[in-house]
Amino acid sequence: MRQHVNPLSKNFDEIEKIPSLLEIFDDPKLNLHLDIGCASAEFLFDLASNNKNWNYLGIEIRERLVKTAKLKLQDKEIKNLYFVFGNANNILNDYHNQFIVKNLKSISFNFPDPWFKKKHYKRRVIQPGFINFLANSMQIGSLIFIKTDVKDLFEYMDLTILSNLNFKKIDKKDFNYSESFNPNEFKTSREKYVVINELNIFDSVYIKV
Ligand SMILES: C[S@@+](CC[C@H](N)C(=O)[O-])C[C@H]1O[C@@H](n2cnc3c(N)ncnc32)[C@H](O)[C@@H]1O
């Protein structure tokens, strides 16, 4: 069951300041991947435990999930993973946190909340203004991954990203997952549910040009 939080609520106006990469990771020079809407982060724990040559950052708007993930992180002593609580749009746009976007190799949006009603589209995490901000801040060659089981949402995200001329879609047959942030092709929690229930998956990868 999906639990939706309104990202436009004033509760998320206060923004967590992300410490420097040197403070949050053992080796700040590793490639950096950001997962937006990481929920309870099993996916990021799988990635960080198995790929020590990448650093991973998760942003999640449900505070309880972030607190639990942070506690689990302390227990496991994983040094290439960090969590931030809040609305990803506000956090990354904040002046103090913009260094994160400049340092990213890739970003994933896995099964974002669909917000089916048209009047709620503005709550969707992918917005034209946000994509424009990413286009102006991400390095050339960095990647955006999107994945969802909702066809309408996929079409909306695909159109929003491709409307920005700084992003081009990569043909799947030309894409080598073994060199990406997810070489083992781990699945997120939602993706496991979608696979078990034989629902469709719509996904794409875009490169900043
Ligand atoms: C449907 S769940 C998918 C979770 C996970 N990515 C997966 O694939 O299993 C979407 C997640 O995005 C989070 N979320 C929604 N809007 C967000 C935003 N603006 N910033 C950060 N997280 C957000 C929700 O709280 C929820 O945990």
Side-chain angles (χ1 to χ4, degrees):
M1 144 119 41
R2 291 184 164 115
Q3 282 175 276
H4 290 173
V5 170
N6 177 2
L8 305 180
S9 149
K10 286 203 185 319
N11 295 343
F12 306 113
D13 282 356
E14 202 172 308
I15 288 162
E16 185 174 329
K17 189 176 165 195
I18 306 176
S20 72
L21 298 179
L22 196 62
E23 287 167 273
I24 62 182
F25 298 123
D26 224 18
D27 181 355
K29 293 200 183 71
L30 298 180
N31 286 339
L32 179 60
H33 177 78
L34 168 66
D35 188 45
I36 293 186
C38 62
S40 48
E42 283 94 352
F43 178 59
L44 284 176
F45 278 102
D46 281 343
L47 288 167
S49 319
N50 286 281
N51 304 308
K52 296 292 181 195
N53 54 343
W54 279 79
N55 286 327
Y56 297 95
L57 189 66
I59 303 182
E60 170 52 49
I61 203 164
R62 285 184 280 162
E63 191 168 22
R64 188 183 52 78
L65 297 183
V66 178
K67 282 187 176 156
T68 310
K70 283 186 175 179
L71 287 174
K72 188 170 160 189
L73 191 57
Q74 278 172 9
D75 282 354
K76 290 192 177 271
E77 292 198 11
I78 296 174
K79 305 288 187 204
N80 60 337
L81 179 56
Y82 192 79
F83 297 109
V84 183
F85 155 68
N87 177 348
N89 306 73
N90 298 349
I91 288 169
L92 296 172
N93 247 310
D94 186 72
Y95 171 77
H96 297 288
N97 294 333
Q98 288 186 2
F99 72 95
I100 289 294
V101 184
K102 292 186 171 59
N103 279 285
L104 289 174
K105 269 275 179 249
S106 48
I107 306 183
S108 49
F109 296 88
N110 287 310
F111 302 88
D113 291 337
W115 294 108
F116 289 108
K117 291 183 185 156
K118 198 158 191 181
K119 67 175 179 181
H120 288 155
Y121 281 5
K122 56 185 183 288
R123 297 182 184 180
R124 289 177 169 175
V125 66
I126 289 191
Q127 294 291 333
F130 186 50
I131 294 301
N132 194 34
F133 162 70
L134 295 179
N136 291 330
S137 313
M138 288 172 80
Q139 295 170 40
I140 288 173
S142 51
L143 303 173
I144 294 181
F145 295 77
I146 64 166
K147 200 177 268 195
T148 178
D149 52 307
V150 180
K151 189 164 184 275
D152 285 357
L153 177 64
F154 175 79
E155 286 167 358
Y156 161 88
M157 295 193 292
D158 186 59
L159 182 67
T160 306
I161 296 172
L162 290 177
S163 297
N164 190 305
L165 299 179
N166 292 293
F167 291 108
K168 295 268 170 290
K169 197 186 293 220
I170 299 183
D171 198 323
K172 277 185 200 150
K173 68 175 171 18
D174 298 333
F175 192 73
N176 188 355
Y177 269 89
S178 66
E179 289 169 11
S180 77
F181 75 99
N182 186 8
N184 326 72
E185 300 195 44
F186 287 121
K187 291 183 171 41
T188 72
S189 303
R190 175 74 192 168
E191 188 168 5
K192 288 176 188 167
Y193 169 90
V194 165
V195 169
I196 288 170
N197 288 283
E198 299 180 356
L199 303 174
N200 288 321
I201 294 181
F202 307 93
D203 63 342
S204 267
V205 186
Y206 309 86
I207 185 163
K208 159 92 187 275
V209 291

Coordinates of all heavy atoms in Angstrom, one line a residue, residues 14-89:
E14 N 11.6 23.6 6.1 CA 12.9 23.6 6.7 C 13.8 22.5 6.1 O 13.3 21.4 5.9 CB 12.7 23.3 8.2 CG 13.8 23.8 9.1 CD 13.5 23.6 10.5 OE1 12.4 24.1 11.0 OE2 14.3 23.0 11.2
I15 N 15.0 22.9 5.8 CA 15.8 22.0 5.0 C 17.0 21.5 5.7 O 17.7 22.3 6.3 CB 16.2 22.7 3.7 CG1 14.9 22.9 2.8 CG2 17.3 22.0 2.9 CD1 15.0 23.9 1.7
E16 N 17.2 20.2 5.6 CA 18.4 19.6 6.2 C 19.6 20.0 5.4 O 19.6 19.8 4.1 CB 18.2 18.0 6.2 CG 19.3 17.3 6.9 CD 19.1 15.8 7.1 OE1 17.9 15.4 7.2 OE2 20.1 15.1 7.1
K17 N 20.6 20.5 6.1 CA 21.9 20.9 5.3 C 22.7 19.6 5.3 O 23.1 19.0 6.3 CB 22.5 22.0 6.1 CG 23.7 22.6 5.4 CD 24.3 23.8 6.2 CE 25.6 24.1 5.6 NZ 26.4 25.0 6.5
I18 N 23.2 19.3 4.1 CA 24.0 18.1 3.9 C 25.5 18.4 4.1 O 26.0 19.4 3.6 CB 23.8 17.5 2.4 CG1 22.3 17.3 2.1 CG2 24.6 16.2 2.3 CD1 22.0 16.8 0.7
P19 N 26.1 17.7 5.0 CA 27.5 17.9 5.3 C 28.4 17.7 4.0 O 27.9 17.1 3.0 CB 27.9 16.9 6.4 CG 26.6 16.4 6.9 CD 25.6 16.5 5.8
S20 N 29.7 18.1 4.1 CA 30.5 17.9 2.9 C 30.7 16.4 2.6 O 30.5 15.5 3.5 CB 31.9 18.5 3.1 OG 32.6 17.7 4.0
L21 N 31.1 16.0 1.4 CA 31.2 14.6 1.0 C 32.3 14.0 1.9 O 32.3 12.8 2.2 CB 31.6 14.5 -0.5 CG 30.5 15.0 -1.5 CD1 31.0 14.9 -2.9 CD2 29.2 14.3 -1.3
L22 N 33.3 14.8 2.2 CA 34.4 14.3 3.1 C 33.9 13.9 4.4 O 34.4 12.9 5.0 CB 35.4 15.5 3.2 CG 36.8 15.2 3.7 CD1 37.5 14.3 2.8 CD2 37.6 16.5 3.9
E23 N 32.9 14.6 4.9 CA 32.3 14.3 6.3 C 31.4 13.0 6.2 O 31.3 12.3 7.2 CB 31.5 15.4 6.8 CG 32.4 16.6 7.3 CD 31.6 17.8 7.5 OE1 31.4 18.6 6.6 OE2 31.1 18.0 8.7
I24 N 30.7 12.8 5.1 CA 29.7 11.7 5.1 C 30.2 10.4 4.5 O 29.6 9.4 4.7 CB 28.4 12.2 4.4 CG1 28.6 12.6 3.0 CG2 27.8 13.4 5.2 CD1 27.3 13.1 2.3
F25 N 31.3 10.5 3.7 CA 31.8 9.2 3.1 C 33.2 8.9 3.4 O 34.0 9.9 3.6 CB 31.6 9.3 1.5 CG 30.2 9.4 1.0 CD1 29.8 10.5 0.2 CD2 29.2 8.5 1.4 CE1 28.5 10.6 -0.2 CE2 27.9 8.6 0.9 CZ 27.6 9.7 0.1
D26 N 33.5 7.7 3.5 CA 34.9 7.3 3.8 C 35.8 7.8 2.6 O 36.9 8.3 2.9 CB 35.0 5.7 3.8 CG 35.8 5.2 4.9 OD1 36.0 6.0 5.9 OD2 36.2 4.0 4.9
D27 N 35.4 7.5 1.4 CA 36.2 8.0 0.2 C 35.3 8.9 -0.6 O 34.5 8.5 -1.5 CB 36.7 6.8 -0.6 CG 37.5 7.2 -1.8 OD1 37.6 8.5 -2.0 OD2 38.0 6.4 -2.5
P28 N 35.5 10.2 -0.4 CA 34.5 11.2 -1.1 C 34.8 11.3 -2.6 O 34.0 11.9 -3.3 CB 34.9 12.5 -0.5 CG 36.2 12.4 0.1 CD 36.4 10.9 0.5
K29 N 35.8 10.6 -3.1 CA 36.1 10.8 -4.5 C 35.4 9.7 -5.4 O 35.4 9.8 -6.6 CB 37.7 10.6 -4.8 CG 38.5 11.8 -4.2 CD 39.8 11.8 -4.9 CE 40.7 12.9 -4.3 NZ 41.1 12.6 -2.9
L30 N 34.8 8.7 -4.7 CA 34.1 7.7 -5.5 C 32.9 8.3 -6.3 O 32.4 9.4 -5.9 CB 33.5 6.6 -4.6 CG 34.5 5.8 -3.7 CD1 33.8 4.8 -2.9 CD2 35.6 5.2 -4.6
N31 N 32.5 7.6 -7.3 CA 31.3 8.0 -8.1 C 30.1 8.1 -7.1 O 29.9 7.3 -6.2 CB 30.9 7.0 -9.2 CG 31.9 7.1 -10.3 OD1 32.5 8.1 -10.6 ND2 31.9 6.0 -11.1
L32 N 29.2 9.1 -7.3 CA 28.1 9.4 -6.4 C 26.8 9.2 -7.1 O 26.5 9.7 -8.2 CB 28.2 10.8 -5.9 CG 27.1 11.3 -4.9 CD1 27.1 10.4 -3.6 CD2 27.3 12.7 -4.5
H33 N 25.9 8.3 -6.5 CA 24.6 8.1 -7.0 C 23.5 8.6 -6.0 O 23.7 8.3 -4.8 CB 24.3 6.6 -7.3 CG 22.9 6.4 -7.8 ND1 22.5 6.7 -9.1 CD2 21.8 5.9 -7.1 CE1 21.2 6.4 -9.2 NE2 20.8 6.0 -8.0
L34 N 22.5 9.2 -6.5 CA 21.4 9.7 -5.6 C 20.1 9.0 -6.0 O 19.7 8.9 -7.1 CB 21.2 11.2 -5.8 CG 19.9 11.8 -5.3 CD1 20.0 11.8 -3.7 CD2 19.8 13.3 -5.8
D35 N 19.4 8.4 -4.9 CA 18.1 7.7 -5.1 C 17.1 8.6 -4.5 O 17.1 8.8 -3.2 CB 18.1 6.3 -4.5 CG 16.9 5.6 -4.9 OD1 16.5 5.6 -6.0 OD2 16.3 4.9 -4.0
I36 N 16.2 9.2 -5.3 CA 15.1 10.1 -4.7 C 13.9 9.3 -4.4 O 13.3 8.6 -5.3 CB 14.9 11.2 -5.8 CG1 16.2 12.1 -5.8 CG2 13.7 12.0 -5.4 CD1 16.0 13.3 -6.7
G37 N 13.4 9.5 -3.2 CA 12.2 8.7 -2.7 C 12.6 7.3 -2.4 O 12.0 6.3 -2.9
C38 N 13.7 7.2 -1.5 CA 14.3 5.8 -1.3 C 13.5 5.0 -0.3 O 13.8 3.8 -0.1 CB 15.7 6.0 -0.8 SG 15.9 6.8 0.8
A39 N 12.4 5.5 0.3 CA 11.6 4.8 1.3 C 12.4 4.2 2.4 O 13.3 4.9 2.9 CB 10.7 3.8 0.6
S40 N 12.3 2.9 2.7 CA 13.0 2.3 3.8 C 14.4 1.9 3.3 O 15.2 1.3 4.1 CB 12.3 1.2 4.5 OG 11.8 0.3 3.5
A41 N 14.8 2.1 2.1 CA 16.1 2.0 1.6 C 16.8 0.6 1.5 O 18.0 0.5 1.5 CB 17.0 3.0 2.4
E42 N 16.0 -0.4 1.5 CA 16.6 -1.8 1.3 C 17.4 -1.8 0.0 O 18.5 -2.4 0.0 CB 15.5 -2.9 1.2 CG 14.9 -3.3 2.5 CD 13.6 -2.5 2.7 OE1 13.3 -1.6 2.0 OE2 12.9 -2.8 3.7
F43 N 16.9 -1.1 -1.0 CA 17.6 -1.1 -2.3 C 19.0 -0.4 -2.1 O 20.0 -1.0 -2.6 CB 16.8 -0.2 -3.2 CG 17.3 0.0 -4.6 CD1 17.6 -1.0 -5.5 CD2 17.5 1.3 -5.1 CE1 18.1 -0.8 -6.8 CE2 17.9 1.6 -6.4 CZ 18.3 0.5 -7.2
L44 N 19.1 0.7 -1.4 CA 20.4 1.4 -1.2 C 21.3 0.6 -0.3 O 22.5 0.6 -0.5 CB 20.1 2.8 -0.6 CG 19.6 3.8 -1.6 CD1 19.3 5.2 -0.9 CD2 20.6 4.0 -2.7
F45 N 20.7 -0.1 0.7 CA 21.6 -1.0 1.5 C 22.2 -2.1 0.7 O 23.4 -2.4 0.8 CB 20.8 -1.6 2.7 CG 20.7 -0.6 3.9 CD1 19.6 0.1 4.1 CD2 21.8 -0.4 4.7 CE1 19.5 1.0 5.1 CE2 21.7 0.5 5.8 CZ 20.6 1.2 6.0
D46 N 21.4 -2.7 -0.2 CA 21.9 -3.7 -1.2 C 23.0 -3.1 -2.0 O 24.1 -3.7 -2.1 CB 20.8 -4.2 -2.1 CG 19.9 -5.2 -1.5 OD1 20.2 -5.8 -0.4 OD2 18.8 -5.5 -2.0
L47 N 22.8 -2.0 -2.6 CA 23.8 -1.3 -3.5 C 25.1 -1.0 -2.7 O 26.2 -1.4 -3.2 CB 23.2 -0.1 -4.1 CG 22.1 -0.2 -5.1 CD1 21.4 1.1 -5.4 CD2 22.7 -0.8 -6.4
A48 N 24.9 -0.4 -1.6 CA 26.1 0.1 -0.9 C 26.9 -1.0 -0.3 O 28.2 -1.0 -0.3 CB 25.7 1.1 0.3
S49 N 26.2 -2.1 0.1 CA 27.0 -3.3 0.7 C 27.7 -4.0 -0.4 O 28.8 -4.6 -0.1 CB 26.1 -4.3 1.4 OG 25.1 -3.6 2.1
N50 N 27.2 -4.0 -1.6 CA 27.8 -4.8 -2.7 C 28.7 -4.0 -3.6 O 29.5 -4.7 -4.4 CB 26.7 -5.5 -3.5 CG 26.1 -6.6 -2.7 OD1 26.7 -7.7 -2.6 ND2 25.0 -6.3 -2.0
N51 N 28.6 -2.7 -3.6 CA 29.4 -1.9 -4.6 C 30.3 -0.9 -3.8 O 29.8 0.3 -3.6 CB 28.6 -1.2 -5.6 CG 27.7 -2.1 -6.3 OD1 28.1 -3.1 -6.9 ND2 26.4 -1.9 -6.3
K52 N 31.4 -1.3 -3.3 CA 32.2 -0.4 -2.5 C 32.9 0.7 -3.3 O 33.5 1.5 -2.7 CB 33.2 -1.2 -1.7 CG 32.6 -2.2 -0.7 CD 31.9 -1.5 0.4 CE 31.3 -2.5 1.4 NZ 30.3 -1.8 2.3
N53 N 32.8 0.6 -4.6 CA 33.4 1.6 -5.4 C 32.5 2.7 -5.8 O 32.7 3.5 -6.7 CB 34.1 1.0 -6.7 CG 33.1 0.2 -7.4 OD1 32.0 -0.2 -6.9 ND2 33.4 -0.2 -8.7
W54 N 31.3 2.8 -5.2 CA 30.3 3.9 -5.4 C 29.9 4.4 -4.0 O 29.9 3.7 -3.0 CB 29.1 3.4 -6.1 CG 29.2 3.2 -7.6 CD1 29.8 2.2 -8.3 CD2 28.6 4.2 -8.5 NE1 29.6 2.5 -9.6 CE2 28.9 3.6 -9.8 CE3 27.9 5.4 -8.5 CZ2 28.6 4.3 -11.0 CZ3 27.6 6.0 -9.6 CH2 27.9 5.5 -10.9
N55 N 29.6 5.7 -4.0 CA 28.9 6.3 -2.8 C 27.4 6.5 -3.2 O 27.1 6.8 -4.4 CB 29.5 7.7 -2.5 CG 30.8 7.5 -1.8 OD1 31.1 6.6 -1.1 ND2 31.7 8.5 -2.1
Y56 N 26.6 6.3 -2.2 CA 25.1 6.4 -2.4 C 24.5 7.3 -1.4 O 24.8 7.3 -0.2 CB 24.5 5.0 -2.3 CG 25.0 4.0 -3.3 CD1 26.0 3.1 -3.0 CD2 24.4 3.9 -4.6 CE1 26.5 2.2 -3.9 CE2 24.8 3.0 -5.5 CZ 25.9 2.2 -5.2 OH 26.3 1.3 -6.1
L57 N 23.5 8.1 -1.9 CA 22.8 9.1 -1.1 C 21.3 8.8 -1.4 O 20.9 8.6 -2.5 CB 23.2 10.5 -1.6 CG 22.8 11.7 -0.8 CD1 23.5 11.7 0.5 CD2 23.2 12.9 -1.7
G58 N 20.5 8.8 -0.3 CA 19.1 8.6 -0.4 C 18.4 9.8 0.2 O 18.7 10.2 1.2
I59 N 17.3 10.3 -0.6 CA 16.5 11.3 0.0 C 15.1 10.8 0.1 O 14.6 10.2 -0.9 CB 16.5 12.6 -0.8 CG1 17.9 13.1 -1.0 CG2 15.6 13.7 -0.2 CD1 18.0 14.5 -1.8
E60 N 14.4 11.0 1.3 CA 13.1 10.4 1.5 C 12.3 11.4 2.4 O 12.8 12.0 3.3 CB 13.2 9.1 2.2 CG 11.9 8.5 2.7 CD 10.8 8.4 1.7 OE1 11.0 7.9 0.6 OE2 9.7 8.9 2.1
I61 N 11.1 11.6 2.0 CA 10.2 12.6 2.6 C 9.5 12.1 3.9 O 9.0 12.9 4.7 CB 9.2 13.2 1.6 CG1 8.7 14.6 2.0 CG2 8.0 12.2 1.4 CD1 8.1 15.3 0.9
R62 N 9.5 10.8 4.1 CA 8.8 10.3 5.3 C 9.9 10.1 6.4 O 10.8 9.3 6.3 CB 8.1 9.0 5.0 CG 6.8 9.2 4.2 CD 6.1 7.9 4.0 NE 6.6 7.2 2.9 CZ 6.3 5.9 2.7 NH1 5.5 5.2 3.5 NH2 6.8 5.2 1.7
E63 N 9.8 11.0 7.4 CA 10.9 11.1 8.4 C 11.1 9.8 9.2 O 12.3 9.5 9.5 CB 10.5 12.2 9.4 CG 11.7 12.6 10.3 CD 11.4 13.9 11.0 OE1 10.2 14.3 11.2 OE2 12.4 14.5 11.5
R64 N 10.1 9.1 9.5 CA 10.2 7.9 10.3 C 11.1 6.9 9.5 O 12.0 6.2 10.1 CB 8.9 7.2 10.6 CG 8.9 6.1 11.5 CD 7.5 5.5 11.7 NE 6.8 5.2 10.4 CZ 7.0 4.1 9.7 NH1 7.9 3.2 10.1 NH2 6.4 3.9 8.5
L65 N 10.9 6.8 8.2 CA 11.7 5.9 7.4 C 13.2 6.3 7.4 O 14.1 5.4 7.5 CB 11.2 5.8 6.0 CG 9.8 5.3 5.8 CD1 9.4 5.2 4.3 CD2 9.6 3.9 6.4
V66 N 13.4 7.6 7.4 CA 14.8 8.1 7.3 C 15.5 7.8 8.7 O 16.6 7.3 8.7 CB 14.9 9.6 7.0 CG1 16.3 10.1 7.0 CG2 14.2 9.8 5.6
K67 N 14.8 8.0 9.8 CA 15.3 7.7 11.1 C 15.7 6.3 11.2 O 16.8 5.9 11.7 CB 14.3 8.1 12.2 CG 14.3 9.6 12.4 CD 13.4 9.9 13.6 CE 13.5 11.4 13.9 NZ 12.3 11.9 14.6
T68 N 14.8 5.4 10.8 CA 15.1 4.0 10.9 C 16.3 3.6 10.0 O 17.1 2.8 10.4 CB 13.8 3.1 10.5 OG1 12.7 3.7 11.2 CG2 14.0 1.7 10.8
A69 N 16.3 4.1 8.8 CA 17.5 3.8 7.9 C 18.8 4.3 8.5 O 19.8 3.6 8.4 CB 17.2 4.5 6.5
K70 N 18.8 5.5 9.1 CA 20.0 6.0 9.8 C 20.5 5.1 10.9 O 21.7 4.9 11.1 CB 19.8 7.4 10.2 CG 19.8 8.4 9.1 CD 19.7 9.9 9.6 CE 19.9 10.9 8.5 NZ 19.8 12.3 8.8
L71 N 19.5 4.6 11.7 CA 19.9 3.7 12.8 C 20.5 2.4 12.2 O 21.5 1.9 12.7 CB 18.7 3.4 13.7 CG 18.2 4.5 14.6 CD1 16.9 4.1 15.2 CD2 19.2 4.9 15.6
K72 N 19.9 1.9 11.2 CA 20.4 0.6 10.6 C 21.8 0.8 10.0 O 22.6 0.0 10.1 CB 19.4 0.2 9.5 CG 19.6 -1.1 8.8 CD 18.4 -1.5 7.9 CE 18.8 -2.5 6.9 NZ 17.8 -2.7 5.9
L73 N 22.0 2.0 9.5 CA 23.3 2.4 8.9 C 24.4 2.4 10.0 O 25.5 1.8 9.8 CB 23.2 3.8 8.3 CG 24.3 4.3 7.4 CD1 24.5 3.3 6.2 CD2 24.0 5.6 6.8
Q74 N 24.1 2.9 11.1 CA 25.0 2.9 12.3 C 25.4 1.5 12.6 O 26.6 1.2 12.8 CB 24.4 3.6 13.5 CG 24.5 5.1 13.4 CD 23.8 5.8 14.6 OE1 23.3 5.1 15.5 NE2 23.6 7.1 14.5
D75 N 24.4 0.6 12.8 CA 24.6 -0.8 13.2 C 25.5 -1.5 12.2 O 26.4 -2.3 12.5 CB 23.3 -1.5 13.1 CG 22.5 -1.2 14.4 OD1 23.0 -0.5 15.2 OD2 21.3 -1.7 14.4
K76 N 25.3 -1.2 10.9 CA 26.0 -2.0 9.8 C 27.4 -1.4 9.5 O 28.2 -2.0 8.8 CB 25.2 -2.0 8.6 CG 23.9 -2.9 8.7 CD 23.3 -3.1 7.3 CE 22.1 -4.0 7.4 NZ 22.4 -5.4 7.2
E77 N 27.6 -0.2 10.0 CA 28.9 0.5 9.8 C 29.3 0.6 8.3 O 30.4 0.2 7.9 CB 30.0 -0.2 10.6 CG 29.9 0.1 12.0 CD 31.1 -0.2 12.8 OE1 32.2 -0.3 12.2 OE2 31.0 -0.2 14.1
I78 N 28.3 0.9 7.5 CA 28.5 1.1 6.0 C 29.0 2.5 5.8 O 28.3 3.5 6.3 CB 27.2 0.8 5.3 CG1 26.8 -0.7 5.4 CG2 27.4 1.1 3.8 CD1 25.5 -1.0 4.8
K79 N 30.1 2.7 5.1 CA 30.7 4.1 5.0 C 30.5 4.7 3.6 O 31.1 5.7 3.4 CB 32.2 4.0 5.3 CG 32.6 3.3 6.6 CD 32.2 4.2 7.8 CE 32.7 3.6 9.1 NZ 32.0 4.1 10.2
N80 N 29.7 4.1 2.8 CA 29.5 4.7 1.4 C 28.0 5.0 1.2 O 27.5 4.9 0.1 CB 30.0 3.8 0.3 CG 29.4 2.4 0.3 OD1 28.9 1.9 1.3 ND2 29.4 1.7 -0.8
L81 N 27.3 5.2 2.3 CA 25.8 5.5 2.2 C 25.4 6.6 3.2 O 25.9 6.6 4.3 CB 25.1 4.2 2.5 CG 23.6 4.1 2.5 CD1 23.0 4.6 1.2 CD2 23.1 2.7 2.8
Y82 N 24.5 7.4 2.7 CA 24.0 8.5 3.6 C 22.6 8.8 3.3 O 22.1 8.7 2.1 CB 24.9 9.8 3.4 CG 24.7 10.9 4.4 CD1 25.3 10.8 5.7 CD2 23.9 12.0 4.1 CE1 25.1 11.8 6.6 CE2 23.7 13.0 5.1 CZ 24.3 12.9 6.3 OH 24.1 13.8 7.3
F83 N 21.8 9.2 4.3 CA 20.4 9.5 4.1 C 20.1 11.0 4.5 O 20.6 11.5 5.5 CB 19.5 8.6 4.9 CG 19.6 7.2 4.6 CD1 20.3 6.3 5.4 CD2 19.2 6.7 3.3 CE1 20.4 4.9 5.0 CE2 19.3 5.4 3.0 CZ 19.9 4.5 3.8
V84 N 19.1 11.5 3.7 CA 18.7 12.9 4.0 C 17.2 12.9 4.1 O 16.5 12.3 3.2 CB 19.2 13.9 2.9 CG1 18.7 15.3 3.3 CG2 20.7 13.8 2.7
F85 N 16.6 13.6 5.1 CA 15.1 13.6 5.2 C 14.6 14.9 4.5 O 15.2 16.0 4.8 CB 14.8 13.6 6.7 CG 13.4 14.2 6.9 CD1 12.2 13.6 6.5 CD2 13.3 15.4 7.6 CE1 11.0 14.2 6.7 CE2 12.1 16.0 7.8 CZ 10.9 15.4 7.4
G86 N 13.5 14.8 3.8 CA 12.8 16.0 3.3 C 12.4 15.9 1.9 O 12.4 14.8 1.3
N87 N 11.8 17.0 1.4 CA 11.4 17.0 0.0 C 12.6 17.2 -0.9 O 13.3 18.3 -0.8 CB 10.4 18.2 -0.2 CG 9.9 18.4 -1.6 OD1 10.5 17.8 -2.5 ND2 8.9 19.3 -1.8
A88 N 12.9 16.3 -1.8 CA 14.1 16.3 -2.6 C 14.2 17.6 -3.4 O 15.3 18.1 -3.6 CB 14.1 15.1 -3.5
N89 N 13.1 18.1 -3.9 CA 13.1 19.3 -4.7 C 13.7 20.4 -3.9 O 14.6 21.2 -4.4 CB 11.7 19.7 -5.2 CG 11.0 18.5 -5.9 OD1 10.7 17.5 -5.3 ND2 10.9 18.5 -7.2

